[in-house]
Amino acid sequence: GAVVSQHPSWVICKSGTSVKIECRSLDFQATTMFWYRQFPKQSLMLMATSNEGSKATYEQGVEKDKFLINHASLTLSTLTVTSAHPEDSSFYICSASRSPNTEAFFGQGTRLTVV
Amino acid sequence: RKEVEQDPGPFNVPEGATVAFNCTYSNSASQSFFWYRQDCRKEPKLLMSVYSSGNEDGRFTAQLNRASQYISLLIRDSKLSDSATYLCVVLNAGNMLTFGGGTRLMVKP
């Protein structure tokens, strides 16, 4: 199956710093990737849709200036958590599909802890 | 009402038991349906797609009822390794995935 790679797997950062998370589709091109956040014992919540070559589409309640998304190529999307705070600590995960209306493949996820 | 609803469980079953999970969705225009499995602190992994005709993969059987907007997953002969959270996932227009809250299964020896 398709492979989506996410990096880093985990990160601990100080409050106020920024963290960049990368999501790569390794064996297919993805014009669209999705970023999710998952808090403990809760389901995945869509944060934004990352579109190659254009601006991301953010879900209601997600601050676009805080969660910067860049989809510079057909195989790479990045999520930058700016000025991170402890409440941003969560499991961030990306997904991509090989083609529309087919199953999504997920990156391994990034566990962010802000101290 | 949530767009995709699941019983959160947990379902505690003994090894060898048969267990069924249900999922309802509210968007009648939903296009594709999947069951994903998520282990603790891991990413979701596709378990199986769900078709109107029903599909089976080993011990797992998935069913879709479009008229009732209902999806099911049946696991036969449960194994300890089946313990996980099972996510009902609906794909809508624009390639948008909507997740159910997940159903937690714990298989005991």
Side-chain angles (χ1 to χ4, degrees), chain A residues 32 34 36 38 41-44 46 49 59 91 93 95 97 99-109 111, chain B residues 31-32 34 36 38 40-46 49 87 91-102 104:
Chain A
T32 305
F34 299 90
Y36 300 85
Q38 185 176 35
K41 298 191 178 183
Q42 295 186 24
S43 191
L44 284 79
L46 180 65
T49 303
E59 294 301 298
F91 187 56
I93 193 164
S95 77
S97 299
S99 57
N101 300 324
T102 59
E103 68 269 25
F105 295 92
F106 289 85
Q108 301 94 322
R111 190 157 302 279
Chain B
Q31 299 173 335
S32 302
F34 308 95
Y36 279 78
Q38 186 175 26
C40 189
R41 294 175 171 262
K42 300 282 188 180
E43 77 277 20
K45 293 188 177 177
L46 179 68
S49 303
L87 300 170
L91 184 65
N92 296 315
N95 223 22
M96 301 293 291
L97 290 177
T98 302
F99 289 82
R104 193 160 161 231

Side-chain angles (χ1 to χ4, degrees), chain A residues 11-51:
Chain A
V11 59
I12 301 173
C13 71
K14 288 186 177 180
S15 189
T17 60
S18 295
V19 175
K20 180 187 281 190
I21 303 169
E22 293 186 350
C23 180
R24 294 181 185 273
S25 56
L26 297 185
D27 61 353
F28 66 101
Q29 294 182 330
T31 55
T32 305
M33 292 184 175
F34 299 90
W35 286 97
Y36 300 85
R37 181 168 52 183
Q38 185 176 35
F39 292 105
K41 298 191 178 183
Q42 295 186 24
S43 191
L44 284 79
M45 296 299 297
L46 180 65
M47 298 176 66
T49 303
S50 174
N51 304 299

